[in-house]
Structure formats: structure tokens, C-alpha cells
Amino acid sequence: VRDAEMQTIKDAEEIGLGVRVLQGGRMGFAFSSDLSAAAVAATVDSAVAIAKHMQADAFYCLAEPAASYPSIDCFDPRIETAALEEKIELARKAEKAARAYDNRIYLVDKAGYEDSNTFTVIMNSRGLQVSCRDNLAGIYINLAAQEEGDSQSAFASMTLRKIADLVPAQLG
């Protein structure tokens, strides 16, 4: 958002798989954004190969599964269901708050909204298998202020677990 007008909308999806291997006290890690069977197998092979070249650490070990795990509230369904216009309005309010905060602000280069959703699975060969779905919502501004010919730029952001907790006036 610039001057209360939406400039750009970006919708992107990132997906990937990370594999951590412990072998003889040595740890290897590899990542792939390709989830095909062949790519997953190659990622595992890479992690094993990397582990062979790492220094052994006697304290590396696999976690044993627990009988139960605490429930963690880290997913806000409103982030997914909020209308695009509501998200744009949060950016507009951040820009408005920044401009109202100090009359030396002459430019809000960009005000924006971002959110992310993740699903994480942790499993090992000892039977541990846990997963968590979480998300975040955030607003940000990039601005410039000027006084007596001296210009300064600034960036501010607010990222929270609940979209309803974003307060554009506190960012501005």
C-alpha cells in the first residue's frame, strides 16, 4: 500500500522437506523443495553423505517418544479466513497511523501485510512422530522523515500469532 492505494499483491507458496540424519554421532542435514519420491530419496542420501564428513559429537542422540505432548495454541484460523480487503485495510491503517504520528514523515514508501502458514512434522526411527500447524500475521511500514534538510528512513514491523491482535496504530 502506498498513499492508501494497493500497489502489489503477492501470493506465494513455499514447500520443502528437511532431513536430519544422525549416524555414529555425526549429523547431516539436507533440504529439498521438490517432494517427488526421487527427490526425497536424494535428500536422504545427501544428509547421510554430509553426516559422514561431520565431526562426531557424543551428545547427539534421537529423542524418545513421550506418552503425550502438550497442546500448543499456535494456529489462528482467522488468518486463513480473513478477507483480502481486511488484510489490505490493516496495511492502510498502518500507513495512516505512521503519517499521523509525526509531521516530519514525508514518505511512507510501503505499508504491507503478510501472513504465513506452516505444518511441521518431526519423526524419527525410535517412534517419535509429532506435528504442529501454526501461522503468523504481520504488518509493516517503510518510511522516511525529514527535518531541516536531514532525511532518515525507518522500518517497523509487528508480527503476531493472532490477526485480531495486530494494532496498526501501535506500529505507526
Side-chain angles (χ1 to χ4, degrees):
V1 171
R2 183 183 292 156
D3 294 326
E5 295 296 320
M6 183 179 56
Q7 300 292 313
T8 307
I9 292 180
K10 178 180 173 185
D11 185 16
E13 181 178 88
E14 296 176 22
I15 192 164
L17 166 79
V19 175
R20 189 175 316 268
V21 171
L22 292 178
Q23 188 175 50
R26 300 171 192 270
M27 183 176 2
F29 178 81
F31 176 85
S32 176
S33 58
D34 182 348
L35 300 184
S36 69
V40 170
T43 304
V44 171
D45 290 345
S46 293
V48 170
I50 290 167
K52 290 177 183 176
H53 297 284
M54 301 305 291
Q55 184 172 347
D57 186 326
F59 295 101
Y60 284 154
C61 63
L62 295 175
E64 295 288 340
S68 66
Y69 296 93
S71 177
I72 300 171
D73 181 21
C74 54
F75 183 78
D76 178 10
R78 282 276 301 127
I79 292 173
E80 286 188 329
T81 61
L84 178 59
E85 187 55 41
E86 179 182 346
K87 295 173 180 182
I88 293 168
E89 188 58 27
L90 285 167
R92 283 188 180 120
K93 287 180 179 179
E95 179 187 39
K96 184 177 180 181
R99 290 185 184 282
Y101 181 76
D102 193 314
N103 62 5
R104 295 174 293 181
I105 296 172
Y106 70 92
L107 172 68
V108 177
D109 182 49
K110 184 187 286 186
Y113 169 89
E114 291 184 342
D115 60 42
S116 67
N117 293 284
T118 62
F119 183 73
T120 303
V121 177
I122 300 172
M123 43 196 308
N124 69 27
S125 57
R126 293 199 169 160
L128 174 71
Q129 185 171 344
V130 294
S131 63
C132 177
R133 186 175 182 197
D134 69 290
N135 57 8
L136 297 167
I139 50 177
Y140 61 90
I141 53 173
N142 188 21
L143 55 85
Q146 188 172 40
E147 182 176 52
E148 298 177 9
D150 182 37
S151 290
Q152 300 287 322
S153 62
F155 178 82
S157 66
M158 174 184 292
T159 303
L160 299 169
R161 293 235 174 253
K162 306 271 185 209
I163 193 171
D165 292 341
L166 293 174
V167 182
Q170 289 178 356
L171 181 65

